Amino acid sequence: VIKCKAAVAWEAGKPLSREEVEVAPPKAHEVRIKIVATAVCHTDAYTLSGADPEGCFPVILGHEGAGIVESVGEEVTKVKPGDTVIPLYIPQCGECKFCKNPKTNLCQKIRITQGKGLMPDGSSRFTCRGKQVYHFMGTSTFSEYTVVADISVAKIDAAAPLDKVCLLGCGISTGYGAAVNTAKVEPGSTCAVFGLGGVGLAVIMGCKVAGASRIIGIDLNKNKYAKAKEFGATECISPQDFQKPIQEVLVEMTDGGVDYSFECIGNVGVMRAALEACHKGWGVSVIVGVAAAGQEISTRPFQLVTGRTWKGTAFGGNSLLAGNSVPKLVTDYMSKKIKVDEFVTHTLPFDKINEAFELMHAGK
């Protein structure tokens, strides 16, 4: 058993608490990882807020991490101690019908136990003050050591800087993949990206890499425009600057609508606007943002009857089977095909993790 520091969420709506936790050794088909760097994501904040119906407490949150394999349980063959890895919140078992279908990356092998905050055998590897602590998204990267299923880990280039590539554990991979894998943006196309946070910037980067000729960023926070343009946005607009709905503005700006639109906020009203900003006959709108539990989307069916497509994406559709997995993204970063360093705004010591959440909520 390893004793180490972790940020524990004892209950919903309260700041994370810095604790000493015990991390049990890995069992069969499990891997214990020394987490070197982790990022914070709105998904962590969503669960911490208490709005997540799957949220369970006490829990160690975090799902954008990178580290070194410390030890492995029996029957683990894909990684060994010393390997550099990124934990995967969507695993890749390679055996279930989802993994065998190139149309999806939604492996279901450990979905039920993962959703309950437990390892595949139905137990936890974390204890703190004598209490069992739940896992989160199969990763729990807000701990100096964590235990994950062997199908939930991607071995990456040992030379990669972990304080940067940890972002490929969720945000960048999700946005970039939404553009190149899910939407399959084509050269010369026109795109609109709603929400210019980390995921939105990654979508812009994906659109640019795919050869889009016009990329319009939409956000209420104009402080984000300069960064968006650095990533490839050709122009940025705020819905507050117009008297009419933003979808009507975009339809006028683009002679009938955009070819591809992306909603990166998790707001169902914006999801509708993103669909209706698409061009009749061929426009594709991708939902990337996660809306709160119980919310529903709506539009007039005529929008779809007249040739628009509404799609969703999880983890950017990245899968080993389709050849666009996390290790490949790390390779693309190392060869300067994609940006990662530019996404990092602040680097804080682990003790200041609550401050990191405050910066995120402030849009900084």
Side-chain angles (χ1 to χ4, degrees):
V1 175
I2 288 177
K3 288 187 176 181
C4 67
K5 279 194 301 189
V8 176
W10 288 105
E11 55 183 302
K14 296 280 172 70
L16 301 178
S17 174
R18 191 181 145 212
E19 303 282 355
E20 182 180 81
V21 297
E22 292 87 43
V23 185
K27 295 186 182 179
H29 290 292
E30 294 178 3
V31 178
R32 187 159 60 182
I33 304 167
K34 181 183 198 303
I35 296 290
V36 174
T38 185
V40 297
C41 171
H42 279 284
T43 308
D44 304 307
Y46 170 60
T47 299
L48 185 59
S49 75
D52 181 356
E54 273 198 343
C56 36
F57 297 88
V59 62
I60 294 174
L61 299 169
H63 63 285
E64 286 187 336
I68 312 289
V69 174
E70 178 273 333
S71 59
V72 298
E74 292 169 25
E75 298 172 52
V76 174
T77 55
K78 55 191 278 192
V79 291
K80 63 185 185 304
D83 283 350
T84 305
V85 295
I86 289 178
L88 302 172
Y89 70 88
I90 295 182
Q92 304 269 282
C93 78
E95 295 164 1
C96 70
K97 69 177 183 180
F98 288 82
C99 280
K100 286 180 172 169
N101 189 326
K103 293 177 181 174
T104 186
N105 62 337
L106 297 174
C107 174
Q108 296 295 296
K109 182 86 178 268
I110 59 172
R111 175 74 196 93
I112 292 174
T113 48
Q114 181 172 315
K116 291 177 178 168
L118 300 168
M119 294 299 290
D121 72 346
S123 63
S124 167
R125 301 292 162 267
F126 297 122
T127 48
C128 182
R129 302 191 203 172
K131 288 188 181 147
Q132 171 184 287
V133 177
Y134 288 106
H135 294 251
F136 178 67
M137 289 174 74
T139 54
S140 289
T141 60
F142 292 173
S143 174
E144 290 181 315
Y145 286 86
T146 189
V147 179
V148 305
D150 61 352
I151 58 172
S152 302
V153 66
K155 182 181 172 182
I156 61 163
D157 183 342
L162 300 186
D163 61 331
K164 305 294 192 294
V165 296
C166 62
L167 290 166
L168 294 170
C170 177
I172 299 178
S173 305
T174 296
Y176 182 74
V180 299
N181 302 330
T182 307
K184 296 184 168 60
V185 171
E186 296 157 318
S189 55
T190 299
C191 303
V193 181
F194 291 78
L196 301 176
V199 175
L201 294 177
V203 171
I204 290 171
M205 178 169 73
C207 293
K208 187 180 179 185
V209 168
S213 59
R214 192 173 178 192
I215 304 167
I216 305 164
I218 300 109
D219 201 298
L220 300 174
N221 184 349
K222 294 185 178 181
N223 294 331
K224 297 190 171 186
Y225 293 178
K227 197 75 161 172
K229 287 176 179 171
E230 188 185 317
F231 277 88
T234 51
E235 62 223 277
C236 295
I237 57 175
S238 167
Q240 289 176 330
D241 290 346
F242 302 94
Q243 299 299 312
K244 58 179 83 167
I246 192 68
Q247 53 265 55
E248 289 178 25
V249 173
L250 286 159
V251 166
E252 282 176 16
M253 281 173 69
T254 56
D255 186 27
V258 298
D259 302 311
Y260 301 97
S261 70
F262 302 85
E263 197 279 352
C264 308
I265 302 161
N267 178 308
V268 292
V270 178
M271 290 172 189
R272 177 174 188 159
L275 174 78
E276 296 177 0
C278 283
H279 202 289
K280 183 192 289 188
W282 63 75
V284 174
S285 186
V286 181
I287 294 173
V288 192
V290 178
Q295 296 200 319
E296 298 181 352
I297 49 173
S298 63
T299 189
R300 290 183 302 120
F302 190 69
Q303 293 284 335
L304 301 175
V305 171
T306 50
R308 294 169 193 83
T309 303
W310 220 345
K311 302 181 86 168
T313 187
F315 198 37
N318 293 295
S319 79
L320 287 168
L321 200 65
N324 50 21
S325 57
V326 167
K328 182 177 183 299
L329 289 170
V330 172
T331 303
D332 286 348
Y333 159 65
M334 298 296 276
S335 61
K336 296 194 164 45
K337 185 185 169 188
I338 61 169
K339 295 179 194 281
V340 173
D341 298 12
E342 292 82 355
F343 284 90
V344 180
T345 56
H346 299 75
T347 303
L348 301 168
F350 188 33
D351 297 346
K352 294 196 173 170
I353 191 161
N354 286 313
E355 203 174 296
F357 276 93
E358 287 163 19
L359 286 163
M360 180 174 68
H361 287 307
K364 295 178 180 173

